[in-house]
Amino acid sequence: PAAQTPDALASATRELQDRRDGLEAEGVVARVAAFSTSTPGEDLVKFATHHDVAMILADGANPDGRWQNAVSELLTSATCDAVLSFPGGDPPSGNAVLVPFGGGEHDWAALELAAHLARMRDVRLVLAGAALPQGTDASRMLAVASVIVQRTFGVVPEPVIIASGAAGVLERVGDAGLVVVGVSARYRTEGLGDAREAIVRDAGVPVLAVRHGRRPGLLAPPERLTRFDWSLST
């Protein structure tokens, strides 16, 4: 809220309290706070650090330039995981959680979040890996990741092999209610990247883009596990 608006903080806090009450009615423990700032990204990073936050969830679709600057600050400076949320169009018809997976650092963070959500919602977790030229594919990598997820969360992912690039992911979106994707390793210079931007734009379901922070995740790849980058078009 604008600091100069009378009663702005109290009004914002009351609105947040209403949301908190709704969450608690669903069994979710929540706490709320409101503050005014001219540097939202920087202050949210400080706020998260002060309270030892594990994850920041931010609106990735808000076109406001000031907010987009704040999002960039969150991605580059937050020590915790940072997740950008992009709404879909109509209510999704599917109920699976789809994770495009290439074995990168941010892919593992995306898989961890997706496994949490699939277990909480009691829905299928679909783990998508890329087919590559010369008949190779990501099936072994998916098998390794699947066993780690089962050991940690008790969820059995459904592995699928897809064409590389955004087109392969979009072909599998039909039975998904949510896509969870790790950001590109080059997010500092290219943002989401072309493939992920295409998924956000064309999936028609909510998308969460996950950037892993400095905290150790619950899921960790074995050493020397070969990566199969799904986002590279062939």
Side-chain angles (χ1 to χ4, degrees):
Q4 66 272 23
T5 303
D7 203 31
L9 290 176
S11 176
T13 301
R14 284 193 295 268
E15 180 181 346
L16 292 173
Q17 185 172 352
D18 289 341
R19 298 188 185 188
R20 172 181 178 271
D21 293 343
L23 288 170
E24 292 198 339
E26 299 178 7
V28 178
V29 177
R31 298 174 181 86
V32 300
F35 61 90
S36 61
T37 174
S38 59
T39 54
E42 180 180 341
D43 286 341
L44 283 171
V45 168
K46 291 178 180 178
F47 193 83
T49 302
H50 180 79
H51 291 284
D52 196 25
V53 167
M55 178 181 293
I56 295 176
L57 175 64
D59 180 5
N62 189 331
D64 179 79
R66 182 164 170 260
W67 178 246
Q68 287 303 317
N69 289 337
V71 167
S72 296
E73 179 73 19
L74 293 178
L75 288 178
T76 57
S77 301
T79 58
C80 61
D81 288 0
V83 181
L84 302 185
S85 172
F86 300 90
D90 297 329
S93 57
N95 62 0
V97 180
L98 173 63
V99 185
F101 187 77
E105 173 189 10
H106 307 298
D107 292 343
W108 282 97
L111 179 55
E112 180 176 333
L113 175 58
H116 271 298
L117 294 172
R119 183 175 64 177
M120 290 172 60
R121 297 182 179 185
D122 192 24
V123 298
R124 294 181 298 122
L125 175 62
V126 180
L127 192 56
L132 299 178
Q134 291 82 46
T136 59
D137 62 42
S139 58
R140 178 180 172 273
M141 179 190 67
L142 297 185
V144 172
S146 175
V147 171
I148 294 174
V149 169
Q150 292 175 58
R151 187 172 61 213
T152 307
F153 296 100
V155 175
V156 182
E158 298 180 13
V160 295
I161 300 299
I162 61 173
S164 60
V169 176
L170 294 172
E171 287 177 358
R172 298 294 310 192
V173 166
D175 60 351
L178 175 69
V179 178
V180 185
V181 59
V183 302
S184 166
R186 300 176 297 279
Y187 71 90
R188 291 179 183 272
T189 56
E190 64 181 33
L192 289 181
D194 292 343
R196 291 161 181 82
E197 286 181 356
I199 293 169
V200 167
R201 182 182 65 246
D202 299 331
V205 300
V207 177
L208 299 178
V210 183
R211 188 231 63 187
H212 181 51
R214 300 175 192 170
R215 292 166 171 261
L218 292 178
L219 304 183
E223 293 183 3
R224 297 184 298 278
L225 179 64
T226 302
R227 291 181 54 186
F228 287 79
D229 193 340
W230 62 269
S231 65
L232 298 178
S233 298
T234 56

